[in-house]
Structure formats: structure tokens, C-alpha cells
Amino acid sequence: MRMLLAGNWKMNGLRGALAEIRAVDRALSDDPTSCDILICPPATVIAEAATAPAAGRVAIGGQDCHAQVSGAFTGDVSAEMLRDAGATAVILGHSERRQYHGERNVDVAAKVVAAKRAGLHAIICIGESEAERDKGKTLTVVAKQLHESVPDDVAAEDIVIAYEPIWASGNG
């Protein structure tokens, strides 16, 4: 899967912003590019976003998922719920989830399994902090994240690796 992650709205975006998805889809309708365009809006608008692109050039993904199919996980969204809402992919291991929610590589790996179970492409984010980069630990950190976040039984065509160094996020 060749993919361009065109948008991750983070905790931004209301239903009114769906016009952006329609505009991107219209702009791409005559574009011969061979890339798949993926936009990952907040969970609250995934279902409506999935029906927004008329030309079918834009796919919709989720920003995260829970590893379990169901259960007492108030506020969480399962991979199956994302798929049911129309998502075709999900972002996992984002630096903000790792930093602010304490997600570990093993947690990311469990979510990758969940994404595969639900038929979603898993976008696995990896990357080092500025301190790790400054200490020359980039390759060690990224290799560990890859080794521990990608389950052995997941095929390459089911995942996308997104190198997202933490020090570069939001720094322009």
C-alpha cells in the first residue's frame, strides 16, 4: 500500500471541517497520482467522513484503537468499531500516545493485532526524542520500537511504518 497521510486532525475537527475532506477529494479526482490519500479525523466524525469523498480518492482512518474487541473500556474505540464506522486504517503508537498516555511498544503491538483482526491497515509510528537524538541513540530507539511494536505474524502489506521523530513534531 502506497499511502500519503494527508491529515491527522489530532483532537481538532468538528463536523464542519468535513468540507476539507470533500475539497481534497474533488481536487484529486483528476489527479493521476498513484498514492492513496488517508485522512484520520477524530472518532466523532469518522462515520460521516467515510461517506464524504464522492470520487473515492480519499480514505478515512482512525487516530487510535483499543486492543480489545469490546469490554468495560469507557471512552475507548475498538478496531472493529472503527471499521464499522468506515475506517480502513488506524494510527498506532503516535508519539503523543506514547508520551501522554504511557503507551509502550507492547501496547502498540497488541493494537496492531487488533487492527489486523478488524481488517484495518495499521500505521505504526516510531521516532526518537530530541534528547535521544542528541545522545546519538536514534537507531537504537527506532530499532527497539520496530522490533517490539510489530508482531511477528503481521504481514508487511498490513502495516505502514511512519517515522515521526518526536523532536520534529509541531516544530514547523
Side-chain angles (χ1 to χ4, degrees):
M1 174 181 212
R2 285 179 280 184
M3 181 182 304
L4 171 62
L5 181 59
N8 174 2
W9 292 353
K10 304 192 185 245
M11 197 172 75
N12 299 305
L14 302 173
R15 290 177 58 224
L18 294 168
E20 294 176 43
I21 294 173
R22 291 183 190 97
V24 169
D25 189 60
R26 276 193 307 275
L28 292 171
S29 63
D30 294 325
D31 187 343
T33 184
S34 61
C35 286
D36 297 314
I37 305 299
L38 177 69
I39 297 177
C40 297
T44 56
V45 297
I46 287 175
E48 193 169 351
T51 63
R57 296 297 306 274
V58 175
I60 300 300
Q63 296 181 2
D64 186 44
C65 72
H66 196 282
Q68 298 298 316
V69 175
S70 62
F73 305 105
T74 302
D76 286 332
V77 177
S78 71
E80 287 78 7
M81 293 165 96
L82 292 174
R83 184 70 179 178
D84 186 59
T88 59
V90 61
I91 300 170
L92 303 171
H94 194 281
S95 62
E96 293 163 358
R97 299 287 310 176
R98 291 176 187 262
Q99 182 178 4
Y100 302 128
H101 296 277
E103 288 189 3
R104 303 161 299 155
N105 296 330
V106 68
D107 301 320
V108 175
K111 291 178 179 191
V112 172
V113 170
K116 179 181 177 184
R117 180 185 67 226
L120 298 174
H121 287 281
I123 302 161
I124 304 169
C125 299
I126 59 170
E128 79 285 4
S129 68
E130 187 170 14
E132 291 164 333
R133 179 187 67 144
D134 291 345
K135 292 178 184 174
K137 295 184 177 184
T138 297
L139 294 180
T140 303
V141 169
V142 170
K144 180 176 171 60
Q145 288 175 339
L146 276 172
H147 177 71
E148 295 178 0
S149 298
V150 180
D152 291 336
D153 62 341
V154 173
E157 57 268 10
D158 294 329
I159 63 171
V160 173
I161 303 297
Y163 173 61
E164 177 202 42
I166 299 167
W167 55 268
S169 294
N171 290 337

